[in-house]
Amino acid sequence: MIPKISFDECLKDSPRFRASLEDVEVNIFDLECRLEKLVKLCSAMVEAGKVFNAATGAFVSGINDVKKHFDNDKLVEDYFDKFIRSLKDVQSYHSILIDQANRTICKSYSEFLKGDLKKVKDTKRAFYKISEDFDTSLNKHAQVSRSKAMEAEEAGNLLIATRSAFGHTALDYVKELNMIQSAKRHEILNNMMSFMHAQFTYFHQGYDLLRDRQPQLKQLAVKLDAISKMNIEGQKEMERRHAMVEKLDEIWNNPCGRDLIDMEGYLYKRANNAFKSWHRRWFTLRNNQLVYQKRSKDDCTIAVEDLRLCTVKFADDCERRFCFDVVLPGKTIALQADSESIRKKWSTAFAEGINSAFNISPSNDVKNTYISNTANSTEDDSILPSTSRNVSFRSTIQGIPGNEICCDCRNKDPTWASINLGVTLCIECSGVHRSLGVHISKVRSLTLDAWEPETLKVMDQLGNIITNSIYEANADVTMTRAKPGCLQSVRLSWIRDKYVNRKFVSQEPGSPTSGTLKRRRLSQRSSGGSLCSGLSAETLAAVGIPPSAFGEDNDSDNSDAEILDEPPPDKVKGWKSLDANARLIKASGLGNVSMALEALAQGGNINPSIPSDARTTPLHEAVAGGSLTTVEFLLLNGSKVNSQDANGRTPLHIATDKGYTGFVCLMLKRGADQDIKDKNGQNVLSISINKANADIVTLLRLAKLNKEMKESSDYGNQGDETFQDVFRDFTNMASNNPDKLNRNQSSDNIESTV
């Protein structure tokens, strides 16, 4: 063990010794404060009881605070980081750790504070007392007169005794300081390790929660391994970094660009103040606008709101070189490039941007006039910043009547949802739902996960009130229900009885819509044309379709929209006389999601076998009935997308035959096989060509092209970005503007693409 304070310096009592002593004392005092804080936080967690979540969060913060004491100790920092992450993952189950936390944290750390650290304090007091006595002896010895031999001898003896006592006491004090410096790492880490063992012991069910994430974790491990190899190669490359100086001129003279940005780089901007001073700013030509910001992290400032309002001209009469003006109504922005070549590139970029701006359709104006407050918000699939988007999305889901509280325990402000059941959940109930398996409940976050538009429509058609009217129809008020802060065993039992055992489901049909719930219209119809008319020539060429294949849009009543209101069960002829399987098929055809959910809860088979005299499955009926929301609901609940009816037709065959582009897009995303042939030997591509539907032909060919690219060694498993972009556009169009997906196209043009 190497002492942190030298014993030799201790005996010399040198300034170096005193400085080292002070540093170690401050260090130990800091540790004592942090540990006392941690012990208090742990005690608060133990005593909190029903509010243990808040106490656990503070305790985790306290652990993080203690970790800061070991800023230069990578071993401790790394392990504390792992512990903190683990604690946060299982924070919702801290109630069963209270007793163990009291023993391993409060008691052990208190003993460390009252034992080892108190011993250091006692030795410290003795050291500083003898240090004062030693200083007094030195002063007396120095003040004795030369002529007083007797007093000199007494002073010398006293000095020798005091110095000896000082030496022993100082060595003891240094030894205690060195020991505590070495012991604190072991004591703190050892007790924290015991606490983490308790985590493993009591939270074995956490394995069930994280088991669904195991494939992602394995993928992450592979990615990390690849990143590690890349870092090694990157380090080798960085060793040759100074060779890049030769490319400096090329980098500075070529302003860079990226997606949705025509040009970006540094320019000098003349201020509009009296001094007309010039300032260097980073300019970006983006989304029909010109914005700039300082070099430091700062908000963007809009210089030109709409490129269609400006012109650009060289300012050769300016005193500075390489200047040009951006002329707007009522003002002129004076800019300066670093060279003539850069000025010409900016001028060209402005010209192209202005031309492009005049070609932008009015429907995109709102999107293109928006500029994020951050410099890196340039994604084309999201207009609002992620924070605003999440808040809006979350408030929309929670705004559905009954969704402002957890469906199972009535906890407020739920941030999770079961998308196939259409309910909102608190974090504790969401953990139980995950343990049920995805065949029972598919859990998504309202704040972290990306949602498909079709899934949002399913949530809108259900909600906590409707789902609970089904799954709690026969629930007695005297039953032991899950409540906020209840025991985990109570919560688990209630949710399993409710969704797995279905103990409270009424077998009497018609409970979810018994005249008390106002039906929502599935979607609003809007005017528009074929989405394919907006596809680029490159995209169409990729699937073998020339742009000429698409003519002008026409007014067609056969749009991709859902235009049916859900009829209540008492309006459906013979509804109560049907069994659960028949009710499920009937509800699917009517596009009534709540009725379909009730039939499923009552035992309806979502994937029935097709005997010779049968014609259809619930998914076939939903597609034929024209309800995109019902199709998504059935797929979320395990309906097989490639099931075939008695005529060998899949739901994709029916959607193609009816010209439902949004349905085709949805089922292709869910793995529908377009090569399956019906009894007449037709696959969906031949049907779409016969029906002259260019949109569906485009989707089918893009899907096939994407599959081939994914199987190609050149693309690995990534597929084609064009496929992702086009399918995203079709998905949004089918959910938000379904009338734009008209099915009628020129059959001659379609056949010319084959």
Side-chain angles (χ1 to χ4, degrees), residues 475-501:
D476 195 326
V477 294
T478 62
M479 293 178 175
T480 305
R481 294 171 172 264
K483 298 179 180 179
C486 67
L487 295 176
Q488 188 66 14
S489 58
V490 174
R491 192 185 309 273
L492 179 62
S493 177
W494 170 257
I495 293 175
R496 282 191 175 276
D497 285 345
K498 182 176 178 180
Y499 298 107
V500 180
N501 302 325

Side-chain angles (χ1 to χ4, degrees), residues 308-603:
R308 291 173 290 189
L309 302 177
C310 75
T311 58
V312 178
K313 65 178 182 178
F314 287 172
D316 293 329
D317 56 343
C318 181
E319 185 176 321
R320 289 190 171 213
R321 300 176 299 161
F322 320 129
C323 293
F324 62 97
D325 294 333
V326 179
V327 182
L328 293 160
K331 71 173 182 177
T332 299
I333 303 173
L335 303 173
Q336 180 190 14
D338 291 334
S339 67
E340 179 63 24
S341 63
I342 295 179
R343 181 172 73 160
K344 290 180 179 179
K345 288 179 180 179
W346 274 102
S347 176
T348 302
F350 267 101
E352 294 178 354
I354 293 171
N355 290 334
S356 175
F358 277 106
N359 293 327
I360 294 176
S361 63
S363 62
N364 289 330
D365 284 349
V366 174
K367 175 177 176 179
N368 290 328
T369 55
Y370 175 80
I371 283 292
S372 170
N373 287 330
T374 58
N376 59 355
S377 187
T378 60
E379 295 296 330
D380 61 341
D381 59 345
S382 175
I383 300 177
L384 296 175
S386 60
T387 302
S388 301
R389 185 171 67 252
N390 288 345
V391 171
S392 175
F393 164 65
R394 175 177 170 181
S395 62
T396 299
I397 296 298
Q398 291 181 344
I400 298 174
N403 283 14
E404 69 278 1
I405 60 175
C406 174
C407 178
D408 294 326
C409 73
R410 310 301 192 263
N411 205 351
K412 294 181 179 179
D413 194 25
T415 57
W416 295 82
S418 174
I419 57 176
N420 63 309
L421 296 172
V423 298
T424 56
L425 306 166
C426 66
I427 185 173
E428 290 85 358
C429 291
S430 71
V432 178
H433 273 254
R434 287 193 195 95
S435 68
L436 302 180
V438 294
H439 63 291
I440 301 294
S441 180
K442 292 181 172 65
V443 179
R444 296 290 185 274
S445 171
L446 296 181
T447 57
L448 302 177
D449 293 329
W451 288 49
E452 293 288 345
E454 305 94 336
T455 306
L456 293 177
K457 285 184 172 289
V458 173
M459 293 293 297
D460 180 65
Q461 291 303 306
L462 292 175
N464 293 357
I465 293 179
I466 291 179
T467 301
N468 276 342
S469 71
I470 297 172
Y471 282 92
E472 295 185 11
N474 289 339
D476 195 326
V477 294
T478 62
M479 293 178 175
T480 305
R481 294 171 172 264
K483 298 179 180 179
C486 67
L487 295 176
Q488 188 66 14
S489 58
V490 174
R491 192 185 309 273
L492 179 62
S493 177
W494 170 257
I495 293 175
R496 282 191 175 276
D497 285 345
K498 182 176 178 180
Y499 298 107
V500 180
N501 302 325
R502 301 173 186 174
K503 287 186 176 181
F504 319 124
V505 175
S506 172
Q507 296 303 317
E508 182 70 21
S511 57
T513 53
S514 56
T516 61
L517 298 175
K518 183 179 180 181
R519 310 313 305 153
R520 307 182 189 95
R521 180 166 291 277
L522 297 178
S523 64
Q524 297 294 328
R525 296 174 60 85
S526 59
S527 62
S530 172
L531 183 62
C532 280
S533 61
L535 297 178
S536 66
E538 291 80 6
T539 300
L540 298 175
V543 294
I545 302 177
S548 60
F550 306 104
E552 295 295 328
D553 297 328
N554 50 47
D555 295 329
S556 172
D557 292 333
N558 293 324
S559 69
D560 229 354
E562 298 180 60
I563 60 175
L564 299 175
D565 285 329
E566 297 182 4
D570 55 1
K571 299 297 183 182
V572 180
K573 183 177 180 180
W575 175 255
K576 292 187 177 182
S577 63
L578 300 175
D579 61 17
N581 292 328
R583 289 200 300 272
L584 177 57
I585 293 178
K586 189 74 173 179
S588 301
L590 293 173
N592 192 314
V593 178
S594 60
M595 292 165 61
L597 178 63
E598 182 192 44
L600 274 178
Q602 293 171 346

Side-chain angles (χ1 to χ4, degrees), residues 49-329:
K50 294 182 180 180
V51 292
F52 72 91
N53 263 333
T56 304
F59 178 61
V60 173
S61 299
I63 295 176
N64 188 59
D65 195 21
V66 174
K67 188 200 73 172
K68 294 177 182 177
H69 174 79
F70 302 93
D71 287 338
N72 298 321
D73 193 330
K74 183 171 176 58
L75 173 67
V76 179
E77 283 190 321
D78 289 345
Y79 275 94
F80 265 71
D81 283 334
K82 296 176 182 177
F83 298 159
I84 290 170
R85 287 193 296 270
S86 299
L87 289 173
K88 286 183 177 179
D89 290 340
V90 296
Q91 184 176 348
S92 60
Y93 300 103
H94 274 174
S95 58
I96 61 175
L97 289 177
I98 288 177
D99 182 66
Q100 186 68 11
N102 186 49
R103 292 196 301 269
T104 59
I105 303 301
C106 295
K107 184 176 180 181
S108 299
Y109 284 1
S110 295
E111 290 176 355
F112 182 76
L113 289 168
K114 295 177 181 178
D116 297 348
L117 292 184
K118 185 177 182 300
K119 187 176 181 181
V120 172
K121 287 183 178 180
D122 294 338
T123 310
K124 176 182 178 180
R125 285 193 293 270
F127 167 78
Y128 281 105
K129 177 63 173 63
I130 196 65
S131 179
E132 292 177 1
D133 294 343
F134 184 40
D135 289 339
T136 302
S137 299
L138 286 171
N139 291 334
K140 287 183 178 181
H141 183 269
Q143 293 172 3
V144 175
S145 174
R146 186 190 301 273
S147 60
K148 297 180 180 180
M150 184 64 69
E151 291 183 10
E153 183 179 357
E154 291 178 356
N157 292 335
L158 179 60
L159 177 60
I160 292 172
T162 306
R163 183 171 57 195
S164 176
F166 170 81
H168 287 292
T169 305
L171 289 172
D172 290 341
Y173 184 38
V174 170
K175 175 251 184 183
E176 292 296 334
L177 291 177
N178 288 337
M179 290 295 294
I180 201 68
Q181 284 289 88
S182 299
K184 65 181 181 180
R185 298 172 76 247
H186 174 269
E187 289 291 331
I188 295 173
L189 273 177
N190 184 57
N191 286 290
M192 192 56 61
M193 182 180 66
S194 299
F195 184 74
M196 296 307 297
H197 277 305
Q199 292 281 343
F200 174 80
T201 302
Y202 288 100
F203 286 89
H204 183 66
Q205 67 175 7
Y207 168 79
D208 295 331
L209 301 179
L210 298 176
R211 181 171 51 189
D212 294 339
R213 299 291 183 184
Q214 188 176 9
Q216 292 88 337
L217 294 176
K218 291 182 178 179
Q219 293 176 3
L220 178 60
V222 174
K223 292 180 180 179
L224 289 176
D225 183 64
I227 291 173
S228 177
K229 294 178 181 178
M230 290 175 60
N231 288 339
I232 295 174
E233 294 298 326
Q235 290 175 2
K236 294 179 181 179
E237 184 65 26
M238 284 188 288
E239 292 175 357
R240 301 188 292 270
R241 59 191 178 278
H242 292 291
M244 294 185 64
V245 176
E246 299 176 359
K247 301 180 180 179
L248 191 60
D249 290 340
E250 179 183 350
I251 294 174
W252 278 76
N253 291 322
N254 288 280
C256 53
R258 64 176 188 259
D259 291 344
L260 299 181
I261 299 178
D262 297 318
M263 184 73 75
E264 63 178 2
Y266 280 110
L267 294 171
Y268 281 93
K269 178 183 179 296
R270 188 172 63 189
N272 294 324
N273 54 28
F275 299 100
K276 301 296 182 182
S277 55
W278 293 80
H279 301 284
R280 190 171 173 82
R281 297 289 183 261
W282 181 266
F283 280 82
T284 302
L285 202 61
R286 168 177 55 194
N287 293 347
N288 191 26
Q289 293 179 326
L290 179 68
V291 299
Y292 67 90
Q293 65 182 133
K294 297 179 181 179
R295 177 183 295 172
S296 58
K297 186 177 181 181
D298 199 2
D299 293 344
C300 290
T301 301
I302 301 177
V304 179
E305 177 122 9
D306 192 331
L307 291 180
R308 291 173 290 189
L309 302 177
C310 75
T311 58
V312 178
K313 65 178 182 178
F314 287 172
D316 293 329
D317 56 343
C318 181
E319 185 176 321
R320 289 190 171 213
R321 300 176 299 161
F322 320 129
C323 293
F324 62 97
D325 294 333
V326 179
V327 182
L328 293 160

